Each structure stands twice: as C-alpha cells, then as structure tokens.
Amino acid sequence: MKPDILQLNPILIPAINDKLNTLYTVHRLFEQADKDTYLREHGAKIRGVITGGHTGITRAMMELLPALEVVAVNGVGTDAVDLEYARSRGLPVTGTFGALTEDVADLAVGLLIATCRGMCSGDRFIRAGDWVRNPQPGAIPLARRVSGLRVGIVGMGRVGRAIATRLAAFGCPIAYTDLRRMDDVPHAFVPELIGLARQSDALILAAAADKAEGIVDAAVLDALGKDGYLINVARGRLVKEADLVAALQAGRIAGAGLDVFVDEPNVPEALFGMDNVTLQAHRASATHQTRAAMGEMVLHSLAQALAGKRPEFSLTT
Ligand code: 8YV
C-alpha cells in the first residue's frame, strides 16, 4: 500500500506531481473546502506532510497526524513550522536548502535595480501612452545609480552571500550584519542593524525569520535615510510594515523593493500608488528550474524518512 501524504500547497511542476502520485496517495488539503473535516477523516493515516516555507505547519495540525514521520518543507524558511514540537516528537523537518539560493539572490538584485532605476514605473509610463503624450526627457525623473551603492546585507547565509557576490560585481561595497561575524566572509561585519542601516545606501533583507520579528522599524528606516532603499526577499514580518509605509509616505526613505509581506496576499494598499516601490508576489524561488530542483529534494526527503532513515536535509533530527 502506498504511504499517505498530506500536501498543504500546490506544486507547480507536473513531473514532480506525477512522481508523487506514483509513489504516494497524495491528499491535497488545499483542494478541500472543509479542511477540518478532511483532516479528522484522513489524519490518522498520514505519514508525511509537504508544505511551503511560508505556510509551514502548526502544532495543532501536527497533533491531528499521529502517524506522521516527516514534514518536508518545499522551501528554506522553517519559521512557520513549530520546530520545538517537531523535535519533541522526533520528527524530521526538512528543507530545500541550497536549491533556491541563486534565484532568490537574482530577484533581490532585480528588485534593487528595478527600484533604483524606476523600471516598473517606466514600463507603466509607456503602456499608459504617457511617453507619446509627454515625449520631453524630463517627463520621468532621473533615477538612482546602482553600481557602487553601499549595500548592507541582513543575514549572511547562503542567500546573503549570493547577493554579495552579485553586487560585488557591480562595484558595490558590501557590509553585513548577522548573529555573529563569519570568518569566511570577506565583507565588513557590523554588529548592530541600525549601524548597518546608517552606513548603507541599500539594505537587503536575507535573514531567517525564526526568531527575528519587526527588526526593521522606524528607527532603522530613519538610519537608512531619505536616500536609502530597502529590499526584502526574506519574510515580511522582519519589517514593521506600518513603519515602512509611513517612512515611504513621508519620503524618509527613497524606495523599497518587496517580495514578501506580513499578511500575504494582503499588501498595504498605500504602496500601490508609489512609483518608488517595486512589488512582487512572493516569487523569489518561482522559476521552473528551481521549483523542479526543490520538488526533487522534497521527494528525496520523503523517501528517506519513510524508509526509516534520517533525511539528509533534516533540521530537527
Ligand atoms: C517559497 C519560501 O515561495 O523558501 C521559502 O521559505 O518562502 C519560498 O521559497 C515557498 O516555500 C514555496 O513553496
């Protein structure tokens, strides 16, 4: 009999879904209208869970799954999983570590360039027919040069390092903050986030949000200053969103490029009319190539755990 797997989010790669369906009986919770009833009916036989980084799984849901042997996160963020409870049950919680590094770093750099150079507002200007109506060069304000920007990276893990590599090629001096100095990183370590913000033209968030919440607040934004840009490809809740909106509204920072938000898919509407803000719908890992690689890692983790082995990409066991 095929093991029963509970899937909390869709996987967008048909080949991965085919493999899952061949190997497992897949219960797609996201397709169920009445999720509580479905879980009560099928929970007892579920041996594995697949979830997204942003969705995770609550303790309450894990408690409804007494036969659970593994939680496979199709992502790298494990902040939405109750890791302590998983550990107490000896449950491996796995991630797709390394698979999405390049994509997330690419999007961070893309957001920085798009925001500083006004690429999305420029695109809207043409589509709206405004270039024809206003062909004079001054119709669009001058932009901000990206090459040479002083960049501060918050979180020097895999993604932070990949962002640093890319932006070093743009001639950007790089500094970073993290819980500790990293001996194998050639860039300047700044212990306090506010100090990093003060010396940066662009602050890029690439940190895990397991413990850090609201670390970018009004004081940090003011330290970044009226010529500074904030880029976030990590988690929305690293930022006090109301403080960010207020800083943008008052021109206390220059702009922001955001892939993540506190309450997705709800994005503060105040941002919609701001040409100095670039918005993405949590898309940093959303390429065919990366999602296929992530899916393979999820399959690998499920297979190892359900064969009674410790999964290679487990965080908790
Ligand atoms: C994904 C993420 O969007 O890795 C993460 O933690 O948030 C994203 O890469 C998500 O996990 C896709 O399932």
PDB file of all heavy atoms in Angstrom, residues 9-10 51-54 73-79 96 100 104 234-235 282 284-285 291 294, ligand 1:
ATOM      1  N   ASN A   9       0.235  22.783   0.060  1.00  0.00           N
ATOM      2  CA  ASN A   9       0.307  23.802  -1.004  1.00  0.00           C
ATOM      3  C   ASN A   9       0.459  23.105  -2.348  1.00  0.00           C
ATOM      4  O   ASN A   9       1.075  22.049  -2.418  1.00  0.00           O
ATOM      5  CB  ASN A   9       1.563  24.682  -0.852  1.00  0.00           C
ATOM      6  CG  ASN A   9       1.519  25.555   0.370  1.00  0.00           C
ATOM      7  OD1 ASN A   9       2.393  25.470   1.212  1.00  0.00           O
ATOM      8  ND2 ASN A   9       0.515  26.378   0.476  1.00  0.00           N
ATOM      9  N   PRO A  10       0.003  23.739  -3.418  1.00  0.00           N
ATOM     10  CA  PRO A  10       0.226  23.148  -4.742  1.00  0.00           C
ATOM     11  C   PRO A  10       1.709  23.119  -5.105  1.00  0.00           C
ATOM     12  O   PRO A  10       2.474  23.979  -4.667  1.00  0.00           O
ATOM     13  CB  PRO A  10      -0.524  24.088  -5.697  1.00  0.00           C
ATOM     14  CG  PRO A  10      -1.301  25.017  -4.853  1.00  0.00           C
ATOM     15  CD  PRO A  10      -0.740  25.003  -3.479  1.00  0.00           C
ATOM     16  N   THR A  51       4.758  20.922   2.755  1.00  0.00           N
ATOM     17  CA  THR A  51       4.218  22.266   2.943  1.00  0.00           C
ATOM     18  C   THR A  51       5.166  23.299   2.328  1.00  0.00           C
ATOM     19  O   THR A  51       6.290  22.969   1.960  1.00  0.00           O
ATOM     20  CB  THR A  51       3.978  22.552   4.440  1.00  0.00           C
ATOM     21  OG1 THR A  51       3.342  23.833   4.568  1.00  0.00           O
ATOM     22  CG2 THR A  51       5.271  22.552   5.242  1.00  0.00           C
ATOM     23  N   GLY A  52       4.699  24.521   2.214  1.00  0.00           N
ATOM     24  CA  GLY A  52       5.556  25.600   1.687  1.00  0.00           C
ATOM     25  C   GLY A  52       6.264  26.303   2.835  1.00  0.00           C
ATOM     26  O   GLY A  52       5.845  26.207   3.994  1.00  0.00           O
ATOM     27  N   GLY A  53       7.318  27.019   2.514  1.00  0.00           N
ATOM     28  CA  GLY A  53       8.065  27.726   3.544  1.00  0.00           C
ATOM     29  C   GLY A  53       7.195  28.733   4.282  1.00  0.00           C
ATOM     30  O   GLY A  53       7.257  28.875   5.500  1.00  0.00           O
ATOM     31  N   HIS A  54       6.363  29.419   3.530  1.00  0.00           N
ATOM     32  CA  HIS A  54       5.535  30.456   4.127  1.00  0.00           C
ATOM     33  C   HIS A  54       4.360  29.845   4.905  1.00  0.00           C
ATOM     34  O   HIS A  54       3.906  30.404   5.903  1.00  0.00           O
ATOM     35  CB  HIS A  54       5.013  31.379   3.026  1.00  0.00           C
ATOM     36  CG  HIS A  54       4.254  32.545   3.546  1.00  0.00           C
ATOM     37  ND1 HIS A  54       4.860  33.527   4.298  1.00  0.00           N
ATOM     38  CD2 HIS A  54       2.945  32.870   3.456  1.00  0.00           C
ATOM     39  CE1 HIS A  54       3.946  34.410   4.643  1.00  0.00           C
ATOM     40  NE2 HIS A  54       2.786  34.043   4.144  1.00  0.00           N
ATOM     41  N   VAL A  73       9.440  20.558   3.974  1.00  0.00           N
ATOM     42  CA  VAL A  73       9.143  21.939   3.570  1.00  0.00           C
ATOM     43  C   VAL A  73       9.685  22.146   2.153  1.00  0.00           C
ATOM     44  O   VAL A  73      10.869  21.906   1.893  1.00  0.00           O
ATOM     45  CB  VAL A  73       9.782  22.956   4.544  1.00  0.00           C
ATOM     46  CG1 VAL A  73       9.516  24.386   4.076  1.00  0.00           C
ATOM     47  CG2 VAL A  73       9.253  22.746   5.962  1.00  0.00           C
ATOM     48  N   ASN A  74       8.799  22.577   1.268  1.00  0.00           N
ATOM     49  CA  ASN A  74       9.193  22.877  -0.109  1.00  0.00           C
ATOM     50  C   ASN A  74       9.687  24.327  -0.145  1.00  0.00           C
ATOM     51  O   ASN A  74       9.080  25.207  -0.728  1.00  0.00           O
ATOM     52  CB  ASN A  74       7.974  22.673  -1.024  1.00  0.00           C
ATOM     53  CG  ASN A  74       8.335  22.783  -2.490  1.00  0.00           C
ATOM     54  OD1 ASN A  74       9.461  22.506  -2.888  1.00  0.00           O
ATOM     55  ND2 ASN A  74       7.382  23.199  -3.296  1.00  0.00           N
ATOM     56  N   GLY A  75      10.790  24.558   0.548  1.00  0.00           N
ATOM     57  CA  GLY A  75      11.324  25.906   0.705  1.00  0.00           C
ATOM     58  C   GLY A  75      12.438  25.863   1.739  1.00  0.00           C
ATOM     59  O   GLY A  75      12.766  24.782   2.257  1.00  0.00           O
ATOM     60  N   VAL A  76      12.991  27.034   2.051  1.00  0.00           N
ATOM     61  CA  VAL A  76      14.085  27.059   3.032  1.00  0.00           C
ATOM     62  C   VAL A  76      13.679  27.666   4.369  1.00  0.00           C
ATOM     63  O   VAL A  76      14.347  27.456   5.377  1.00  0.00           O
ATOM     64  CB  VAL A  76      15.326  27.803   2.501  1.00  0.00           C
ATOM     65  CG1 VAL A  76      15.939  27.049   1.347  1.00  0.00           C
ATOM     66  CG2 VAL A  76      14.990  29.229   2.097  1.00  0.00           C
ATOM     67  N   GLY A  77      12.605  28.449   4.372  1.00  0.00           N
ATOM     68  CA  GLY A  77      12.174  29.062   5.627  1.00  0.00           C
ATOM     69  C   GLY A  77      11.419  28.033   6.457  1.00  0.00           C
ATOM     70  O   GLY A  77      10.476  27.409   5.967  1.00  0.00           O
ATOM     71  N   THR A  78      11.834  27.863   7.704  1.00  0.00           N
ATOM     72  CA  THR A  78      11.115  26.924   8.569  1.00  0.00           C
ATOM     73  C   THR A  78      10.467  27.678   9.726  1.00  0.00           C
ATOM     74  O   THR A  78      10.076  27.089  10.723  1.00  0.00           O
ATOM     75  CB  THR A  78      12.072  25.831   9.107  1.00  0.00           C
ATOM     76  OG1 THR A  78      13.226  26.474   9.643  1.00  0.00           O
ATOM     77  CG2 THR A  78      12.490  24.881   8.010  1.00  0.00           C
ATOM     78  N   ASP A  79      10.339  28.995   9.568  1.00  0.00           N
ATOM     79  CA  ASP A  79       9.796  29.826  10.639  1.00  0.00           C
ATOM     80  C   ASP A  79       8.318  29.564  10.895  1.00  0.00           C
ATOM     81  O   ASP A  79       7.809  29.891  11.961  1.00  0.00           O
ATOM     82  CB  ASP A  79      10.009  31.312  10.312  1.00  0.00           C
ATOM     83  CG  ASP A  79       9.575  31.672   8.901  1.00  0.00           C
ATOM     84  OD1 ASP A  79      10.138  31.116   7.945  1.00  0.00           O
ATOM     85  OD2 ASP A  79       8.654  32.499   8.754  1.00  0.00           O
ATOM     86  N   THR A  96      14.597  22.657   1.487  1.00  0.00           N
ATOM     87  CA  THR A  96      15.257  22.515   0.182  1.00  0.00           C
ATOM     88  C   THR A  96      16.499  23.406   0.154  1.00  0.00           C
ATOM     89  O   THR A  96      16.669  24.241  -0.736  1.00  0.00           O
ATOM     90  CB  THR A  96      14.292  22.867  -0.958  1.00  0.00           C
ATOM     91  OG1 THR A  96      13.876  24.235  -0.807  1.00  0.00           O
ATOM     92  CG2 THR A  96      13.066  21.979  -0.961  1.00  0.00           C
ATOM     93  N   LEU A 100      17.333  27.073  -3.842  1.00  0.00           N
ATOM     94  CA  LEU A 100      16.765  28.325  -4.351  1.00  0.00           C
ATOM     95  C   LEU A 100      17.678  29.541  -4.167  1.00  0.00           C
ATOM     96  O   LEU A 100      17.305  30.668  -4.473  1.00  0.00           O
ATOM     97  CB  LEU A 100      15.392  28.564  -3.722  1.00  0.00           C
ATOM     98  CG  LEU A 100      15.237  28.375  -2.211  1.00  0.00           C
ATOM     99  CD1 LEU A 100      15.985  29.407  -1.444  1.00  0.00           C
ATOM    100  CD2 LEU A 100      13.779  28.353  -1.835  1.00  0.00           C
ATOM    101  N   VAL A 104      16.781  33.462  -5.494  1.00  0.00           N
ATOM    102  CA  VAL A 104      16.399  34.495  -4.525  1.00  0.00           C
ATOM    103  C   VAL A 104      17.388  35.663  -4.609  1.00  0.00           C
ATOM    104  O   VAL A 104      16.993  36.835  -4.593  1.00  0.00           O
ATOM    105  CB  VAL A 104      16.300  33.913  -3.096  1.00  0.00           C
ATOM    106  CG1 VAL A 104      15.899  34.997  -2.109  1.00  0.00           C
ATOM    107  CG2 VAL A 104      15.285  32.770  -3.058  1.00  0.00           C
ATOM    108  N   ALA A 234      13.118  38.068   2.139  1.00  0.00           N
ATOM    109  CA  ALA A 234      13.171  37.064   3.204  1.00  0.00           C
ATOM    110  C   ALA A 234      11.762  36.778   3.736  1.00  0.00           C
ATOM    111  O   ALA A 234      11.068  35.895   3.216  1.00  0.00           O
ATOM    112  CB  ALA A 234      14.101  37.540   4.300  1.00  0.00           C
ATOM    113  N   ARG A 235      11.343  37.525   4.722  1.00  0.00           N
ATOM    114  CA  ARG A 235       9.995  37.379   5.268  1.00  0.00           C
ATOM    115  C   ARG A 235       9.455  38.769   5.586  1.00  0.00           C
ATOM    116  O   ARG A 235      10.179  39.616   6.127  1.00  0.00           O
ATOM    117  CB  ARG A 235      10.015  36.559   6.564  1.00  0.00           C
ATOM    118  CG  ARG A 235      10.131  35.072   6.367  1.00  0.00           C
ATOM    119  CD  ARG A 235       8.860  34.451   5.776  1.00  0.00           C
ATOM    120  NE  ARG A 235       8.971  33.010   5.668  1.00  0.00           N
ATOM    121  CZ  ARG A 235       9.397  32.360   4.580  1.00  0.00           C
ATOM    122  NH1 ARG A 235       9.734  33.033   3.488  1.00  0.00           N
ATOM    123  NH2 ARG A 235       9.462  31.049   4.573  1.00  0.00           N
ATOM    124  N   HIS A 282       5.682  37.289  -3.732  1.00  0.00           N
ATOM    125  CA  HIS A 282       6.455  36.182  -3.144  1.00  0.00           C
ATOM    126  C   HIS A 282       6.894  35.206  -4.253  1.00  0.00           C
ATOM    127  O   HIS A 282       6.481  34.048  -4.281  1.00  0.00           O
ATOM    128  CB  HIS A 282       5.638  35.452  -2.069  1.00  0.00           C
ATOM    129  CG  HIS A 282       6.493  34.680  -1.108  1.00  0.00           C
ATOM    130  ND1 HIS A 282       6.213  34.559   0.229  1.00  0.00           N
ATOM    131  CD2 HIS A 282       7.638  33.974  -1.293  1.00  0.00           C
ATOM    132  CE1 HIS A 282       7.144  33.827   0.822  1.00  0.00           C
ATOM    133  NE2 HIS A 282       8.016  33.449  -0.097  1.00  0.00           N
ATOM    134  N   ALA A 284      10.330  34.836  -5.315  1.00  0.00           N
ATOM    135  CA  ALA A 284      11.788  34.748  -5.440  1.00  0.00           C
ATOM    136  C   ALA A 284      12.272  33.375  -5.894  1.00  0.00           C
ATOM    137  O   ALA A 284      13.256  33.274  -6.622  1.00  0.00           O
ATOM    138  CB  ALA A 284      12.459  35.149  -4.132  1.00  0.00           C
ATOM    139  N   SER A 285      11.590  32.300  -5.496  1.00  0.00           N
ATOM    140  CA  SER A 285      12.055  30.967  -5.921  1.00  0.00           C
ATOM    141  C   SER A 285      11.219  30.420  -7.074  1.00  0.00           C
ATOM    142  O   SER A 285      11.366  29.257  -7.445  1.00  0.00           O
ATOM    143  CB  SER A 285      11.998  29.989  -4.746  1.00  0.00           C
ATOM    144  OG  SER A 285      10.646  29.734  -4.386  1.00  0.00           O
ATOM    145  N   ARG A 291      12.005  25.409  -8.918  1.00  0.00           N
ATOM    146  CA  ARG A 291      10.904  24.630  -8.336  1.00  0.00           C
ATOM    147  C   ARG A 291      11.046  23.139  -8.660  1.00  0.00           C
ATOM    148  O   ARG A 291      10.668  22.281  -7.862  1.00  0.00           O
ATOM    149  CB  ARG A 291       9.561  25.190  -8.803  1.00  0.00           C
ATOM    150  CG  ARG A 291       9.217  26.532  -8.159  1.00  0.00           C
ATOM    151  CD  ARG A 291       8.939  26.380  -6.660  1.00  0.00           C
ATOM    152  NE  ARG A 291       8.878  27.662  -5.996  1.00  0.00           N
ATOM    153  CZ  ARG A 291       7.781  28.430  -5.927  1.00  0.00           C
ATOM    154  NH1 ARG A 291       6.649  28.028  -6.476  1.00  0.00           N
ATOM    155  NH2 ARG A 291       7.823  29.583  -5.305  1.00  0.00           N
ATOM    156  N   MET A 294      13.655  21.947  -6.217  1.00  0.00           N
ATOM    157  CA  MET A 294      13.066  21.880  -4.879  1.00  0.00           C
ATOM    158  C   MET A 294      12.183  20.637  -4.759  1.00  0.00           C
ATOM    159  O   MET A 294      12.208  19.918  -3.753  1.00  0.00           O
ATOM    160  CB  MET A 294      12.243  23.149  -4.596  1.00  0.00           C
ATOM    161  CG  MET A 294      13.081  24.399  -4.400  1.00  0.00           C
ATOM    162  SD  MET A 294      12.117  25.930  -4.558  1.00  0.00           S
ATOM    163  CE  MET A 294      11.072  25.864  -3.104  1.00  0.00           C
TER     164      MET A 294
HETATM  165  C1  8YV B   1       8.578  29.608  -1.472  1.00  0.00           C
HETATM  166  C2  8YV B   1       9.843  30.425   0.636  1.00  0.00           C
HETATM  167  O1  8YV B   1       7.762  30.566  -2.051  1.00  0.00           O
HETATM  168  O2  8YV B   1      11.711  29.001   0.721  1.00  0.00           O
HETATM  169  C3  8YV B   1      10.896  29.667   1.341  1.00  0.00           C
HETATM  170  O3  8YV B   1      10.923  29.720   2.578  1.00  0.00           O
HETATM  171  O4  8YV B   1       9.148  31.179   1.219  1.00  0.00           O
HETATM  172  C4  8YV B   1       9.687  30.318  -0.839  1.00  0.00           C
HETATM  173  O5  8YV B   1      10.794  29.876  -1.493  1.00  0.00           O
HETATM  174  C5  8YV B   1       7.724  28.594  -0.877  1.00  0.00           C
HETATM  175  O6  8YV B   1       8.320  27.854   0.123  1.00  0.00           O
HETATM  176  C6  8YV B   1       7.214  27.706  -1.986  1.00  0.00           C
HETATM  177  O7  8YV B   1       6.601  26.604  -1.524  1.00  0.00           O
END
